[in-house]
Every structure is written in C-alpha cells, then in structure tokens.
Amino acid sequence: MTSQVPCYTIINSPDLEVPNEMQLKQDLEKGDTNVKIETLKRVIKLLLNGERYPGLIMTIIRFVLPVQNHTIKKLLLIFWEIVPKTSADGKLLQEMILVCDAYRKDLQHPNEFLRGSTLRFLCKLKEPELLEPLMPAIRACLDHRHSYVRRNAVLAIFTIYKNFDWLVPDGPELIASFLDTQQDMSCKRNAFLMLLHADQERALNYLASCIDQVHTFGDILQLVIVELIYKVCHANPAERSRFIRCIYNLLNSSSNAVRYESAGTLITLSLAPTAIKAAASCYIELVVKESDNNVKLIVLDRLVAMKEHEGMEKVMQDLVMDVLRVLAAPDIEVRRKTLALALDLVYSRNIGEMVLVLKKEVAKTHNVEHEDTGKYRQLLVRTLHTCSIKFPDVAANVIPVLVEFLSDTNELAAADVLIFIREAIQKFPALRALIIEHLIEAFPQIKSSKIHRAAVWILGEYVEGSQILEVIAVIQQTLGEVPMVEAEQRRLSGDQTEEQKQQQQGSAGGNAAGSATEGSGSGNASNKVTSDGTYATQSAYSLAPVAKAEKRPPLRQYLMDGDFFIGAALSATLTKLALRFAELETEARAQNRLTTQVMLIMSSILHLGKSGFPSKPITNDDTDRIFVCLRTLSERTPEAVSVFTLYCREALGKMLDAQQDEDQRMLKEKQKATAKVQPDDPVLFAQLSNGRDNQLGENVFESSLNQALAGSKNAQLSDVASPNSKLNKVTQLTGFSDPVYAEAYVNVNQYDIVLDVLIVNQTNDTLQNCTLELATLGDLKLVERPHPVVLAPHDFCNIKANVKVSSTENGIIFGNIVYDTALNTNVVVLNTIHIDIMDYIIPASCTDTEFRQMWQDFEWENKVTVNTSFTDLHEYLKHLLKSTNMKCLTPEKALSGQCGFMAANMYAKSIFGENALANLSIEKPVDDPDSKVTGHIRIRAKSQGMALSLGDKISSSQKQSVQAA
C-alpha cells in the first residue's frame, strides 16, 4: 500500500505545542467570535502537522458552522478540506451529512462571495457521496447574476465531471450552451477550458463560429484558444491550415503573454520562412518593450533556441539589426546575451551595419559612468574583436574605434583591446602599418602599467622601416629625460629638469604679458584682500612650505613606483628595434648612434633601480633580463639575435593557432551534442513531426513534463524511469534485523530534494501512528512533516518528504521512525543521508583574466593534499574532473607530454550562481614509473561552504580510488 493523501493548501507554521482537546472544545463552544477564529486556526495547523481530533468535528458542526462571520466561513472551508472525512473502514462519517446540508444552504446564500468561495471549495472534494446532493444547487449557480459565482460554478462542474462524470453526465452540453449566452470573459474562459479538456469537438465548433472575433476577446480567453489550436494541430496536422491564420492574428494581441504563447505555437506548427520571421519579430518586440529583465532573458532564450535550429537560423540572419535594438536595455546580462545572439546570426551582408551600431554603442559609453559601464565596454570590445577576426574586411573600420579604449581608465577593456590588436596584427599583415600608426598615436595617453607593457611588446615586435625611429621617439617622450637618476636628483634639489624647461619654453609666448604685470608684485611679501575689503600683507617666511605633487611622464612614474617589470619589457622592445634597425640601415655610424641611445636608456633604468629613488628597488629577475638585452646588443651572437627577431613572433603564432584549434574543437563538440537522433536509432513515431529540437516541432507539453521529472534539460524521461537510475540513488536507512526496515530513494531536482522512503513492518504486530521524523543539517529545510500511517503485520508503505535547498553545501538529513504497539512506543534511529554537492555543480568556462580576477577576489581557500593510487598525471586529472564536475581551462596542448609535473586550472559553477575555482599542482619522478602522484589542489570560492564541500568531495573520491586499488 502507499500513503496517498490529498494535496492540501500548505500553511507554514512554527513548532506548535499540542494543546488539550478539552480546552479546544471549550473555546469553540463558549468563546466569542475572535476566540473561535483563533482556535479554529490552531486546529487547522495542528491537523496539518499530523495531529488527529475526531471528537472536535461534532463541536464545530454545532457551535461554529452556524456562525455567519465571513472569516469563520473561509477557515471552515480549509478545515473541511483537510479533516479526515472517513472512518477507519473507509466509510463516510455520519456527521458529514450535516456538513453537506450546511454547504447546500451556502450555495443558495444571497452573498455572492460565500457562494463563489463554497464552489471553489467543492473543486477540492474527492467524496462523490458529499457532492451528489449538492448538484442541483451547483447547476442553479450557472444562472446567477454575478460573474464571480458563474465562473466558479463552471470550475466546480469541470472538476466534478473530470473526477466523477456520472454525477453530471450532460456536463459538456450544459457548458456549451452556457458559453453561447455568456458575455463575461472570465466565465467564457473557464467554460472554454472545460470544453478543451472534456469535449474538443464542441470547443472547435465554438472557435470556428467566432474565429474572426478572436482578436477582440480578453487575454485569458485568447491564451486558452492558443492552447486548443496547438493541441488540435499536433493531434491532427490537417487542421493547421484552418487555424494558423488565427495564430498570426494573435501575434498582434495587446497582451504580451498571448503574443509570447502565439509565437511559440506558430513555430511548432509551421517552419515556413514567413512564420519563423513573424515569430522572431514578435519575440524581439517583446524583449524591447517589456520592462522586466527576467522576461527579457526568457524571451532571449527562446530566440537562442530558434537560432540553434538549422532551418530557422538562415531566416533569422536578416533580423540581426532588430536584435541589436535590445542593447537599449540597461541590464548587463540582457546585453551579454543579445551580443552573443547577434554575433552568431551576423553574416557578410549585414556585418557592416552591425559594426556601425556597435561603434555608436561604444561612443555612448564614454560619458556615462554606471557600475556596469566598464563591463559593457568590455563586452563591446570582445564583440568587435570577434567580428573583425570572423570578417577581416571590417577590421580596418574597427581598429581606430578600439584603439581609443587604450587610454580608458577601465583596465579590463583596454586589455581586451590589446588582445584583439595582437591577434589582428599577426593575422592581417596588410593592416600592420595602420595598427602601428594608431598605437603610436595612443601610446602617450595610456594610463595603466599593464597596458603600456603589452603595447610596448606589440610595437617592438611588429614595427618596421621608418616607424622604428618614431617608436623610439615616443618611448623617450613617455620615459622623460635620460639619465634618469641625474634628472631625479635635479628635481629633488629644486633645479629645473629638461621637461620643465621645455614646458616653460612652450608656454612662454602665451604668458609673456601676464608675467610682466605680476613682476612688480612678486617678492617676499604678497598683498591679500580680507573679507571686509581692506588689504593685508603676508610674508613668505610665515607660510608653511607646500609640497607639490610632481607630475612625471607615465613610464618614469611606473619605475618610480617600483614597477620595474615594465623596464624589463621596455629593454626587450628596444633591443628588438635596435637589431631590426641594424638590418635595415647600412651605415655603421647611424647603427651605433641608435644602439648607444638604446643602451643608455637600459643602463639608466638599471641605475635608477639601484639608486634608492623608487619606492621599491629593482628585482633580480628584471636586472638579469636587462643585462641579457645589453649583452645581446654588445655581442650580437646569432643565437641570441634570432631569439629576439624570430622566435618571439613564432611563439605568438603558435599560441594563436592553438587557441583557434581549441575553439574549433569546442564548436565541433557542440555540433555533435545537438545531433540527438542517430541513423541507427529505432524509429519513434512521436518524432516524425517536423523538427526534433527539444523546444521546437515536438509536443512541448510532453517535453516540459519530461524536463520537470528529469530535473535538467539533458536528462531524458527514459533515464529517469529506468530502474538502474533509481537503484543507484537508494540509501539504506535501517538494518535488515530491525523491527521496521526503511530505505530512501533520493531524487534531487535542482532546488528540491524528494525523499521517497519505503517503510516495511517486519513484525507480527500492527504498528499504530508510524511516523517518519526528519531533521536537516546545512542549508536544507524540510517543507512539511510526513503524516503518520498505520502498518499491518508484514505490510509496507511509501512516504514522501520534500526538502528545499538554498545553497551549494554538503547537507545531511537524519531522523528516526516512531511507532506505537499495543504495549509501548518504540523508536528506530535512521542512518544519515548525505546530499551530494555534485548534483548542483555544472562545468563552466571563463577567460584566463576572469579566472585570475576571481582567484584574487575570493577569500575562502581550501588546500587538499593529493593522496591517491594513480601513477599517471593525466589519468589523475581525468579522475578529478569526473568526480568534481569541473572543467579544465588549461588547453590540451599545454598538458600533453610527460615531464614529471603538471599544473592545471579548473572551473565550475553551481545552479545557484556560485563560482568554484581550483588549481591542481601535481608531480611524480620521471625515472620511476611505479611511483604515485603527489602534490596538492587549491580550491577557492566566495563562500566557505562551497570551498569546504568541494574539498570534502575531492578527499572522499581519493579515498574511494585508494580503497579500490
């Protein structure tokens, strides 16, 4: 047997102390109206918590049921819904006849609210013996003057017909005639809904008679009409031509919900280009006009699903410019999804228009300071980058726009620009001169050391011919006067440096007249005007000296702040430029002049690093690197020269090729994943309809049911229903020798966990009030207490319990089974159920920059030592990825080969939006093939629970592998 009880309206209540039944009776009998209301509420909560008060039914019938208070009437409806109405032998209680009579009077009450709420209550009754005497009164309510009563009467007849059709055999005819006479939209909607489920033929006849007036109906009725058309056309495709025009008309409905449903129905009924275009345009209009960001994201998901269908993608390519209208939305997630969709749809004919729109968006972000502006700029830069690589013809238009970002205060956007420039300059040799020209122009305005460093590398690698001298001049300008130590000493002593002299000469002409007038007043004393208009004299000796903030050129400022890494990068760039100039310039004198100039800058950087002027001294690594550059220029050995002139660019080319290969591999995997039906699969007739996508061209009601049961989009209903799937998740809760045996099937469905507990009575006694008592540890919450059951000797039952999950953390469910026998009360303690964190974690990917940023931001770290029986580094990595659901971000090529050690970055996301990062560092001796892998894994997360739970999971998977070995 199974403990099936009707589904109630759930009322949350804290832990209640169980009161005395006599006290409850007294309050219900003798209390005033307010006391009766409070007592009734307590009784309802106690009943929902599993208590039983059979003696209260008669008290409530005698003293509470006759009261005409509306609050009491509403509470009684809940009470009669949840109270047990049958005796132990399954027969209806005698007292319920009195209740039935009371509700017959309420159905004839002059107050329409009482009539309507009583009719709603009757929809929840499952006892035909109670409903049969009320049928004439329910029918009479169909003719009531108020629409609230009429629409609830229709719902009551619909529910009764569905459950007990013999009580109202002429239900469809009754409602069809009712529908013809009605004007109120809510009544029409409920009546049409009943015909849709009870008698489709009558519903179709009604729709055919008023198909031209459908656009004038209310939105609630239009939604039901869309559902009917969908079901009919799916069951009988020949009917499509009859109703598809109606769906087209509903695309122009005033209700957004109707338009959304109509567009979804249209693309499942027809794959004609006009239908696809109309549905996609409708979706885009909804996204643009709807203010709710959640709705925008849901509709964008529908557009993405359409795009993944081969036949639809070509039609949607012409709508790219319409899709870009969505960028007007302020939400960054909406913009991100929109740009990704537009990028997938764009093709050679409209790429030019798309770039123009993106340029305008870039211009809009310059003067707007919003918390998401920086992220949006970054998105735009990446989109323009991808457009330029995908369609090289537009790169020349994009580069000038993007180079302006280099002087931006947002370092992330500027870094993305440089990544793009680095790839474009390598892949498009024809554009090199243009890129270099713009880069030289923007170089002095860059504000970040990291961006300057990358720009210096690009200039050093790709500058040729006459531009070499230009680059060196720009570098000298942004570095300032050389030698730098002497310049800093002069600045410290108060003498004028070269830069100050040049600035003064530049501004001397403009300030000549002003300085003449000021000259007479300049001395040791200056005249000041006080608040009352009189003059006061102030001596220079009474003034405290004010330290002026010295403004240095950008590169010099980085060095003074102790960032000598840029000094090392600058030295490498200058070395490349000098070597390349030597190849082009035949005159030895010019070669030596440039080389000397370059070597002076490098030695000046070294001298500054050791001088003590900067806030931090130069590091040994940077010193060694600059010395290598100086030595290369002085000795010019062929090996060193070839490293600077050839191998750097080759290494970049290989890295970009590897990235491209990785992207291609990911694309192929994605395409493979979409092919769900293989040629040798058995034919399923449900799949012979147009389209095989999980949202398009198949029965969406069936697929949404499958998804709800499976808990994720990828799981199939066959997997969920298969016995193997269930057996893997069964947890034994008690021993086989216990008087009560229990085991639980744990079904994790995203935010909910359903425990299906099998309880078996292994004794020869009847167990009274057998109750499953559960408690939780962690971010788990028990939704409701399971109801007590009675178990006959050697009988069994299934009890379901729901648990809510609110974060990614290891949770534990524990408890016991309490039951009464003829002699005493017994308790059986249950084993704990551990909720696996892996049910909430899914693999995800991010860029290296984002990974580093998150690694820096996340404060919780968990370090796990590797303890395993694996002897191969790659095998251990595969085992780790499989057991943690994480994705390896380190490319396959970087991990290939055997060198005795391995470092890899891994990333995953939870369904709650939490990020989890991991860094794997492992090694093993190369000369000993039987030695085990050693090392450690560092996990970082924003929350402590996530970091600890993931560490526990890795530790437990390692233990299992060791035990298996």
Side-chain angles (χ1 to χ4, degrees):
M1 62 167 273
T2 57
S3 68
Q4 291 294 333
V5 290
C7 182
Y8 305 132
T9 307
I10 294 173
I11 300 170
N12 182 37
S13 56
D15 294 333
L16 297 166
E17 53 179 74
V18 181
N20 186 352
E21 189 173 343
M22 289 306 295
Q23 181 63 45
L24 290 174
K25 280 187 178 181
Q26 197 172 347
D27 289 344
L28 290 170
E29 284 179 26
K30 297 178 181 175
D32 60 10
T33 305
N34 290 332
V35 172
K36 286 182 178 179
I37 288 171
E38 289 306 313
T39 310
L40 202 50
K41 283 181 180 177
R42 285 175 72 195
V43 170
I44 289 168
K45 287 175 182 177
L46 289 165
L47 283 172
L48 284 172
N49 276 340
E51 303 296 335
R52 290 288 175 267
Y53 295 108
L56 284 181
I57 293 179
M58 206 58 214
T59 307
I60 287 173
I61 290 172
R62 288 175 59 204
F63 299 102
V64 184
L65 199 58
V67 179
Q68 291 301 311
N69 182 283
H70 280 201
T71 308
I72 287 181
K73 291 278 186 191
K74 281 160 71 176
L75 289 171
L76 282 172
L77 294 177
I78 300 172
F79 174 78
W80 293 121
E81 181 189 344
I82 64 174
V83 77
K85 303 172 194 64
T86 53
S87 57
D89 56 359
K91 291 183 179 177
L92 195 70
L93 294 172
Q94 295 295 322
E95 295 94 327
M96 296 311 292
I97 297 168
L98 299 170
V99 178
C100 186
D101 187 58
Y103 281 117
R104 190 177 54 76
K105 288 175 182 171
D106 279 349
L107 286 175
Q108 295 165 350
H109 199 282
N111 185 305
E112 58 268 6
F113 170 75
L114 278 181
R115 279 202 190 198
S117 53
T118 307
L119 286 163
R120 287 179 72 85
F121 159 70
L122 295 178
C123 294
K124 300 172 185 176
L125 282 186
K126 303 293 181 205
E127 289 79 21
E129 300 94 328
L130 287 176
L131 291 168
E132 192 170 8
L134 302 175
M135 286 315 300
I138 295 172
R139 283 170 174 267
C141 287
L142 285 175
D143 302 322
H144 194 271
R145 59 183 174 77
H146 203 284
S147 61
Y148 178 70
V149 177
R150 295 200 304 273
R151 68 169 179 258
N152 283 312
V154 173
L155 276 183
I157 288 173
F158 175 27
T159 316
I160 293 165
Y161 181 79
K162 194 165 63 174
N163 295 327
F164 318 105
D165 55 352
W166 48 273
L167 285 177
V168 52
D170 60 338
E173 296 167 34
L174 183 68
I175 296 300
S177 58
F178 170 81
L179 184 59
D180 290 333
T181 60
Q182 280 305 305
Q183 296 302 318
D184 182 77
M185 277 303 154
S186 59
C187 296
K188 276 184 152 184
R189 180 254 180 199
N190 287 358
F192 193 79
L193 187 66
M194 174 176 170
L195 291 181
L196 163 65
H197 291 284
D199 192 342
Q200 272 193 13
E201 195 58 43
R202 288 181 193 274
L204 282 175
N205 292 340
Y206 174 76
L207 179 58
S209 67
C210 59
I211 199 159
D212 295 329
Q213 288 91 42
V214 166
H215 63 279
T216 62
F217 292 168
D219 55 348
I220 53 173
L221 182 54
Q222 286 178 343
L223 282 170
V224 184
I225 288 172
V226 171
E227 186 184 340
L228 171 71
I229 292 173
Y230 178 82
K231 284 188 169 180
V232 169
C233 293
H234 234 285
N236 185 8
E239 297 280 357
R240 285 185 191 186
S241 55
R242 185 176 168 196
F243 294 112
I244 204 160
R245 175 55 50 198
C246 180
I247 293 290
Y248 270 109
N249 292 339
L250 289 174
L251 288 177
N252 302 316
S253 169
S254 57
S255 164
N256 286 347
V258 174
R259 296 176 71 194
Y260 176 77
E261 290 296 336
S262 302
T265 302
L266 183 60
I267 51 179
T268 58
L269 298 183
S270 170
L271 287 177
T274 48
I276 295 165
K277 196 166 185 178
S281 301
C282 180
Y283 279 145
I284 293 166
E285 282 296 318
L286 283 174
V287 182
V288 172
K289 291 182 178 176
E290 184 60 51
S291 57
D292 188 343
N293 284 331
N294 292 323
V295 175
K296 285 179 187 283
L297 289 168
I298 289 166
V299 180
L300 278 170
D301 281 338
R302 295 293 309 206
L303 284 167
V304 171
M306 285 177 70
K307 181 261 304 176
E308 286 171 0
H309 192 284
E310 285 178 25
M312 296 188 185
E313 188 177 8
K314 289 176 184 173
V315 180
M316 290 178 70
Q317 284 176 342
D318 295 327
L319 297 172
V320 169
M321 301 314 293
D322 291 329
V323 170
L324 289 174
R325 287 164 54 203
V326 182
L327 291 177
D331 185 68
I332 190 70
E333 283 302 319
V334 173
R335 285 170 160 177
R336 181 179 281 118
K337 207 163 255 191
T338 304
L339 286 172
L341 177 63
L343 202 54
D344 287 340
L345 290 176
V346 74
Y347 67 121
S348 53
R349 285 188 189 172
N350 52 21
I351 181 66
E353 293 174 37
M354 178 170 165
V355 166
L356 283 174
V357 171
L358 294 178
K359 276 184 179 179
K360 285 179 187 172
E361 289 295 318
V362 167
K364 283 180 195 172
T365 62
H366 280 308
N367 303 321
V368 180
E369 281 310 319
H370 186 265
E371 58 177 325
D372 286 333
T373 305
K375 292 179 185 174
Y376 184 41
R377 280 183 202 161
Q378 220 180 330
L379 273 178
L380 290 169
V381 168
R382 288 182 184 176
T383 308
L384 286 166
H385 172 179
T386 314
C387 287
S388 304
I389 301 303
K390 206 172 174 185
F391 304 96
D393 298 344
V394 299
N397 297 330
V398 169
I399 286 159
V401 180
L402 291 186
V403 169
E404 290 175 20
F405 273 103
L406 291 177
S407 58
D408 199 276
T409 49
N410 180 10
E411 190 180 285
L412 294 171
D416 280 342
V417 171
L418 278 176
I419 289 168
F420 160 64
I421 287 174
R422 187 183 68 185
E423 190 170 350
I425 208 167
Q426 171 74 11
K427 289 189 174 178
F428 311 133
L431 295 174
R432 279 179 190 169
L434 174 74
I435 294 172
I436 295 293
E437 184 187 328
H438 283 290
L439 202 51
I440 292 172
E441 211 174 289
F443 193 80
Q445 277 81 44
I446 296 173
K447 297 181 176 67
S448 161
S449 153
K450 186 179 173 186
I451 306 306
H452 253 132
R453 197 168 68 229
V456 158
W457 189 91
I458 291 170
L459 287 171
E461 195 59 54
Y462 292 98
V463 166
E464 290 171 358
S466 60
Q467 287 181 319
I468 291 175
L469 295 173
E470 275 183 61
V471 171
I472 290 177
V474 167
I475 288 172
Q476 281 183 322
Q477 180 194 335
T478 48
L479 194 59
E481 186 188 344
V482 178
M484 286 181 269
V485 175
E486 285 80 348
E488 288 301 320
Q489 283 173 338
R490 279 202 298 279
R491 193 188 292 271
L492 202 63
S493 61
D495 297 340
Q496 283 191 328
T497 60
E498 287 293 323
E499 295 106 17
Q500 289 167 340
K501 285 177 185 175
Q502 285 171 8
Q503 284 171 7
Q504 280 194 354
Q505 286 168 9
S507 59
N511 293 341
S515 60
T517 56
E518 287 173 14
S520 58
S522 63
N524 287 340
S526 60
N527 288 331
K528 301 281 180 185
V529 181
T530 61
S531 58
D532 59 353
T534 58
Y535 287 96
T537 304
Q538 189 175 31
S539 170
Y541 296 109
S542 66
L543 288 171
V546 179
K548 287 184 181 176
E550 294 287 351
K551 191 172 181 188
R552 299 183 178 91
L555 292 179
R556 173 85 61 86
Q557 188 60 52
Y558 303 146
L559 296 173
M560 290 302 289
D561 293 339
D563 183 3
F564 280 94
F565 187 21
I566 192 162
L570 194 60
S571 302
T573 293
L574 291 170
T575 306
K576 289 176 190 175
L577 293 173
L579 292 172
R580 203 167 292 129
F581 186 77
E583 289 174 9
L584 297 169
E585 183 61 55
T586 52
E587 191 187 343
R589 200 169 171 188
Q591 285 182 19
N592 292 340
R593 190 187 300 119
L594 186 77
T595 306
T596 313
Q597 194 180 345
V598 164
M599 290 174 85
L600 175 63
I601 293 172
M602 291 189 224
S603 54
S604 178
I605 292 170
L606 276 173
H607 190 194
L608 182 69
K610 304 283 186 184
S611 66
F613 282 116
S615 56
K616 285 185 268 184
I618 189 168
T619 62
N620 292 337
D621 284 348
D622 295 331
T623 307
D624 290 347
R625 199 165 172 209
I626 296 173
F627 271 129
V628 166
C629 294
L630 285 166
R631 191 171 176 180
T632 304
L633 284 175
S634 58
E635 295 180 1
R636 307 277 174 103
T637 56
E639 292 85 357
V641 170
S642 59
V643 167
F644 278 97
T645 54
L646 296 174
Y647 295 157
C648 288
R649 197 178 298 188
E650 278 183 20
L652 174 65
K654 284 177 183 173
M655 188 188 83
L656 292 175
D657 289 343
Q659 277 181 1
Q660 195 171 357
D661 292 346
E662 185 70 16
D663 291 343
Q664 292 291 336
R665 188 178 66 78
M666 295 286 289
L667 197 64
K668 280 181 184 173
E669 280 182 10
K670 200 174 175 186
Q671 286 170 348
K672 278 181 190 171
T674 55
K676 290 182 179 135
V677 181
Q678 299 298 332
D680 55 347
D681 281 354
V683 174
L684 302 174
F685 290 100
Q687 290 187 324
L688 292 177
S689 58
N690 281 335
R692 293 165 188 254
D693 197 273
N694 66 338
Q695 286 184 320
L696 310 168
E698 67 171 1
N699 194 327
V700 284
F701 296 114
E702 194 176 316
S703 63
S704 61
L705 177 65
N706 292 2
Q707 192 177 320
L709 287 169
S712 69
K713 288 188 179 181
N714 299 329
Q716 299 295 319
L717 190 60
S718 56
D719 299 340
V720 180
S722 68
N724 294 336
S725 165
K726 279 198 173 190
L727 290 172
N728 290 336
K729 294 184 178 181
V730 169
T731 307
Q732 188 176 335
L733 300 179
T734 63
F736 289 115
S737 58
D738 283 319
V740 175
Y741 172 75
E743 63 182 29
Y745 163 58
V746 184
N747 182 19
V748 178
N749 184 5
Q750 292 205 348
Y751 302 101
D752 299 308
I753 298 172
V754 179
L755 297 180
D756 190 350
V757 183
L758 169 71
I759 297 177
V760 182
N761 178 7
Q762 301 195 108
T763 66
N764 295 321
D765 302 322
T766 299
L767 306 184
Q768 300 285 342
N769 289 331
C770 185
T771 310
L772 177 68
E773 295 184 344
L774 296 173
T776 57
L777 198 66
D779 275 348
L780 304 175
K781 187 179 178 186
L782 198 65
V783 176
E784 56 182 329
R785 273 178 57 184
H787 290 278
V789 292
V790 177
L791 281 178
H794 302 290
D795 199 356
F796 66 91
C797 72
N798 286 75
I799 297 177
K800 285 192 170 71
N802 291 312
V803 178
K804 273 278 182 212
V805 187
S806 53
S807 77
T808 315
E809 220 175 287
N810 277 340
I812 296 173
I813 302 172
F814 57 95
N816 49 46
I817 294 174
V818 183
Y819 60 91
D820 298 337
T821 58
L823 302 172
N824 55 2
T825 300
N826 299 283
V827 178
V828 179
V829 179
L830 306 177
N831 286 339
T832 55
I833 301 171
H834 292 267
I835 302 303
D836 193 357
I837 184 180
M838 289 305 104
D839 289 317
Y840 314 120
I841 290 183
I842 49 174
S845 58
C846 65
T847 63
D848 287 346
T849 315
E850 289 167 345
F851 185 90
R852 288 194 199 99
Q853 187 63 43
M854 286 191 283
W855 189 268
Q856 193 177 331
D857 294 344
F858 292 170
E859 53 192 20
W860 292 103
E861 180 171 316
N862 187 8
K863 192 171 180 180
V864 180
T865 305
V866 173
N867 174 25
T868 181
S869 56
F870 281 94
T871 56
D872 185 82
L873 300 175
H874 293 87
E875 288 299 320
Y876 181 75
L877 175 62
K878 283 180 188 170
H879 166 73
L880 192 64
L881 293 174
K882 187 179 177 184
S883 59
T884 59
N885 274 5
M886 297 189 96
K887 182 178 180 181
C888 183
L889 299 180
T890 310
E892 189 66 37
K893 286 193 175 179
L895 297 171
S896 58
Q898 295 288 346
C899 59
F901 67 89
M902 178 188 282
N905 290 336
M906 296 174 289
Y907 177 57
K909 256 188 169 180
S910 77
I911 59 170
F912 307 101
E914 299 164 294
N915 298 301
L917 312 175
N919 173 259
L920 171 73
S921 300
I922 50 176
E923 62 178 350
K924 66 163 280 185
V926 183
D927 52 354
D928 184 4
D930 296 329
S931 62
K932 291 175 183 174
V933 173
T934 58
H936 56 262
I937 303 150
R938 290 168 68 195
I939 302 158
R940 283 206 180 180
K942 204 166 190 176
S943 63
Q944 184 186 17
M946 182 81 160
L948 291 174
S949 301
L950 206 52
D952 292 345
K953 180 65 187 173
I954 291 171
S955 301
S956 65
S957 70
Q958 288 188 150
K959 281 178 190 169
Q960 286 170 4
S961 67
V962 170
Q963 287 167 1

